[in-house]
Amino acid sequence: MSRLRIAVQKSGRLHDDSVALLRECGIDLRNVKDRLRTESDDFPLEVFFLRDDDIPQYVEDGVADIGIVGQNVLLEKGRDVEVVQELGFGKCRLSLAVPRSESWEGVPSLEGRRIATSYPRIVGDFLARQGVRAEIHEISGSVEIAPGIGLADVVADLVSSGGTLFMNGLREVEPILQSQAVLVKNKGLDASGQRLLESLLFRIRAVKRAKRNKYVLLNAPNDRLADIVALLPGMKSPTVLPLAESGWSSVHSVLSEEEFWDRIERLKAAGAQGILVVPIEKMVL
Ligand code: ATP
Ligand code: ZN
């Protein structure tokens, strides 16, 4: 195999983040607008732009070697592909929602009721696990208007902020599935394809890690240095350099997003001054 073929959403909520991720991996893609396929000059990658619903099948069939798709679509389509990496964007949940004027008595109260959704398989499995029988009406878009036009009593739809549900007089009552975009691969990928995938994954992980971390530089009085260094993990350990002014050092380290604010406060309390926080572009361990 001379190049890896990746399937990406043509337009929609995953398109921009998918293309941005490839670009952050140093893969230059020209002409992504209104194209069905494009190639990169600086990485052996060919990109197919498709409807997200078709991506699992293209990857299973080996028309594309890998693809970027939401876990929701992957589960619904039930295609035999392998998830190789969670990508951290396209986050949403598939939730049950009812008209705001109605009370919610829990999943058992769905017995015998009509549920509109574009995800009949996921919703059907969920109901089966709960031992509830309901009528599932599959509709492919604008699910949120179904109760208003008398097509269903309840909907199961994708939600991120909840704004669309609210505008349609609905209320989210029960999450069924949490979802994000993932990278999937064809299970029969050959050895050279696998090597290219490993090299792409290496870059993706470096980009993702970099996003989760910040580079921190600060000034510390030498008599406080031990306390300050103890608060900083660093990739191995923090870098400590003397400042031109005697009795002071410059300390450099890497902090993850989760621990960031807590550590910054404790560093200040421990005597750190002039704290600079800088984004990291790539991070390779
Ligand atoms: P296509 O034309 O490719 O079939 P689509 O209309 O089915 O597009 P989009 O609305 O672009 O799909 O959503 C694509 C994916 O983005 C969803 O399957 C889901 O994984 C993710 N997503 C993230 N947040 C949301 C949200 N609030 N609503 C819908 N999808 C979301
Ligand atoms: Zn779709």
Side-chain angles (χ1 to χ4, degrees), residues 9 51-54 73 119:
Q9 192 187 24
R51 285 202 58 195
D52 66 345
D53 311 66
D54 297 333
V73 170
Y119 296 90

Short mmCIF file of all heavy atoms in Angstrom, two decimals, residues 9 51-54 73 119, ligand 2:
data_model
loop_
_atom_site.label_atom_id
_atom_site.label_comp_id
_atom_site.label_asym_id
_atom_site.label_seq_id
_atom_site.Cartn_x
_atom_site.Cartn_y
_atom_site.Cartn_z
N GLN A 9 -16.17 13.15 7.26
CA GLN A 9 -17.49 13.72 6.91
C GLN A 9 -17.33 14.86 5.89
O GLN A 9 -16.47 15.74 6.05
CB GLN A 9 -18.20 14.25 8.16
CG GLN A 9 -19.67 14.56 7.90
CD GLN A 9 -20.36 15.24 9.06
OE1 GLN A 9 -19.74 15.88 9.90
NE2 GLN A 9 -21.68 15.11 9.11
N ARG A 51 -20.88 11.19 3.52
CA ARG A 51 -21.86 11.37 4.59
C ARG A 51 -21.41 10.52 5.78
O ARG A 51 -20.94 9.39 5.59
CB ARG A 51 -23.24 10.89 4.13
CG ARG A 51 -23.90 11.83 3.17
CD ARG A 51 -25.39 11.60 3.18
NE ARG A 51 -25.94 11.78 4.52
CZ ARG A 51 -27.15 11.37 4.91
NH1 ARG A 51 -27.92 10.72 4.07
NH2 ARG A 51 -27.56 11.60 6.12
N ASP A 52 -21.58 11.03 6.97
CA ASP A 52 -21.07 10.28 8.14
C ASP A 52 -21.71 8.89 8.26
O ASP A 52 -21.05 7.93 8.65
CB ASP A 52 -21.23 11.09 9.43
CG ASP A 52 -22.66 11.34 9.84
OD1 ASP A 52 -23.57 11.15 9.01
OD2 ASP A 52 -22.87 11.73 11.00
N ASP A 53 -22.98 8.79 7.84
CA ASP A 53 -23.69 7.51 7.94
C ASP A 53 -23.03 6.40 7.12
O ASP A 53 -23.17 5.22 7.42
CB ASP A 53 -25.13 7.66 7.44
CG ASP A 53 -25.81 8.86 8.05
OD1 ASP A 53 -25.38 10.00 7.75
OD2 ASP A 53 -26.73 8.68 8.83
N ASP A 54 -22.34 6.80 6.05
CA ASP A 54 -21.74 5.81 5.15
C ASP A 54 -20.34 5.39 5.56
O ASP A 54 -19.80 4.42 5.04
CB ASP A 54 -21.69 6.38 3.71
CG ASP A 54 -23.09 6.67 3.18
OD1 ASP A 54 -24.04 6.01 3.62
OD2 ASP A 54 -23.21 7.58 2.33
N VAL A 73 -23.00 6.94 15.50
CA VAL A 73 -23.22 6.38 14.16
C VAL A 73 -22.64 4.97 14.08
O VAL A 73 -23.24 4.04 13.54
CB VAL A 73 -22.61 7.30 13.07
CG1 VAL A 73 -22.61 6.62 11.71
CG2 VAL A 73 -23.37 8.62 13.02
N TYR A 119 -32.07 6.82 15.56
CA TYR A 119 -31.20 5.76 16.10
C TYR A 119 -32.01 4.57 16.62
O TYR A 119 -31.96 4.25 17.81
CB TYR A 119 -30.29 6.34 17.19
CG TYR A 119 -29.36 7.37 16.62
CD1 TYR A 119 -29.74 8.72 16.56
CD2 TYR A 119 -28.15 7.00 16.06
CE1 TYR A 119 -28.91 9.66 15.98
CE2 TYR A 119 -27.31 7.94 15.48
CZ TYR A 119 -27.70 9.26 15.44
OH TYR A 119 -26.88 10.19 14.86
ZN ZN B 2 -25.59 11.61 8.89
#
